[in-house]
Amino acid sequence: MGLFDEVVGSFLNGDAGKYQAILNWVNEQGGIQALLQKLQNGGLGDILSTWISSQQGNQPVSGDQLESALGTPAVSDLGQKLGIDTGSASNMLAEYLPKIIDALSPQGEVDSQAHNDLLSAGMDLLKSGKLFS
């Protein structure tokens, strides 16, 4: 980890590590498009559209809604990677996933860079501060 990454990590009080873990997990789930499709198919299309839209604020989602849409095994996998239980992992996703998707869709659609390398795109967003604006 470079000095800049360390500074960003300490400035964000550990949030950078959570974002990075979620970004890695999204890649393992098939990437951002696969995740968006799972959310859509899981009945969260209306909520998801607010995260992508540049015209409205992000509608909140519960951990239970995400776990239902994504599947308990997928959420449990994230929890295992972070050393937390499935419920905590789903609640963490409910907090961070809307911000990630919103930041990756500044013009109302998911940034094309995110299709190729989600982790790099997400880390660029972290470094730029766009996830916290």
Side-chain angles (χ1 to χ4, degrees), residues 34-50:
L35 183 75
L36 295 175
Q37 190 63 50
K38 286 179 186 177
L39 293 171
Q40 183 76 31
N41 293 342
L44 299 180
D46 289 340
I47 293 172
L48 178 62
S49 68
T50 69

Side-chain angles (χ1 to χ4, degrees), residues 12-106:
L12 300 175
N13 295 323
D15 282 353
K18 293 175 186 174
Y19 279 112
Q20 187 170 7
I22 291 171
L23 294 169
N24 281 326
W25 175 81
V26 169
N27 275 337
E28 291 169 3
Q29 300 305 306
I32 190 69
Q33 288 303 319
L35 183 75
L36 295 175
Q37 190 63 50
K38 286 179 186 177
L39 293 171
Q40 183 76 31
N41 293 342
L44 299 180
D46 289 340
I47 293 172
L48 178 62
S49 68
T50 69
W51 302 349
I52 294 173
S53 172
S54 58
Q55 304 300 313
Q56 55 187 321
N58 293 341
Q59 185 175 339
V61 66
S62 73
D64 289 339
Q65 287 173 296
L66 285 174
E67 188 174 335
S68 176
L70 299 171
T72 300
V75 177
S76 178
D77 182 54
L78 175 62
Q80 288 175 355
K81 290 178 185 337
L82 294 170
I84 58 177
D85 62 61
T86 302
S88 296
S90 64
N91 289 332
M92 188 177 83
L93 281 173
E95 179 181 352
Y96 292 100
L97 199 55
K99 296 175 188 176
I100 291 170
I101 292 173
D102 184 45
L104 290 172
S105 57

